[in-house]
Amino acid sequence: MRRKRYSRVFHQLALLFILAGILPIAVLGIYMYNRINILAGQELTQSYELLASEYLGGIKEKLAQYETSLKFISKNTVIIELLGNKEMNSYARGGMISEELFKSLILDDQKTIRNCMIYSNQEDAPVYGRRVTMSETSERESSYRAGE
């Protein structure tokens, strides 16, 4: 009988120590797992937001350069005068306009623009060059048709 009582007390004490030791560890482990999971998610979100904002900043900067270049080209008096000049050869004017257009592109890297064209609507002064042609030519190009 004494042995049973010791055995019973031993089991109760063992159960108490197990519960007192494992239960707090399990609760803390679950809490810390959830907390780390939330913090890792927040860090990843912030990292992706920063990456996206840097990428968009670069795109905005490029678009600003393109816009500045287009404004500069549209106000370039050399190009405007050459487009309206009816006395010169169409191909000679086209070559001069193409050169002036290339000089007018204000970009960090000229290679970023694959093709920049000027399309003229002046039927009485046709012009043809690497970067300038008549507007009806644009209708035959794939980039023009892609917008339809």
Side-chain angles (χ1 to χ4, degrees):
M1 177 112 154
R2 212 179 204 192
R3 190 170 163 95
K4 272 189 170 185
R5 198 175 352 163
Y6 285 129
S7 176
R8 203 166 152 204
V9 170
F10 176 75
H11 286 304
Q12 287 176 350
L13 281 174
L15 183 63
L16 177 69
F17 283 123
I18 289 173
L19 289 176
I22 292 177
L23 189 61
I25 291 172
V27 169
L28 281 174
I30 292 170
Y31 172 76
M32 292 304 292
Y33 174 78
N34 288 333
R35 186 72 182 140
I36 288 173
N37 198 11
I38 290 169
L39 289 174
Q42 289 173 345
E43 285 295 321
L44 276 176
T45 301
Q46 287 176 343
S47 173
Y48 285 135
E49 286 175 355
L50 181 64
L51 185 65
S53 68
E54 286 180 19
Y55 184 72
L56 288 175
I59 290 173
K60 286 179 183 178
E61 182 181 334
K62 277 290 182 201
L63 288 175
Q65 287 178 4
Y66 295 158
E67 184 178 6
T68 303
S69 291
L70 290 175
K71 285 179 182 178
F72 187 73
I73 291 167
S74 70
K75 295 176 182 178
N76 188 321
T77 56
V78 174
I79 293 175
I80 293 169
E81 288 174 8
L82 285 170
L83 281 172
N85 188 334
K86 299 175 188 172
E87 297 162 2
M88 287 181 69
N89 180 327
S90 299
Y91 294 98
R93 281 188 304 123
M96 294 169 72
I97 291 171
S98 296
E99 281 300 315
E100 190 64 30
L101 176 66
F102 184 75
K103 292 177 194 173
S104 298
L105 290 174
I106 306 167
L107 302 171
D108 291 340
D109 184 13
Q110 291 280 343
K111 296 174 189 168
T112 58
I113 291 188
R114 191 184 71 154
N115 190 13
C116 181
M117 293 288 293
I118 293 177
Y119 295 102
S120 175
N121 287 330
Q122 297 183 10
E123 293 177 8
D124 58 335
V127 63
Y128 302 99
R130 287 188 329 266
R131 297 190 182 267
V132 62
T133 190
M134 298 304 293
S135 60
E136 62 264 1
T137 307
S138 68
E139 297 170 3
R140 294 185 296 228
E141 293 182 5
S142 61
S143 60
Y144 181 83
R145 288 190 304 259
E148 294 177 343

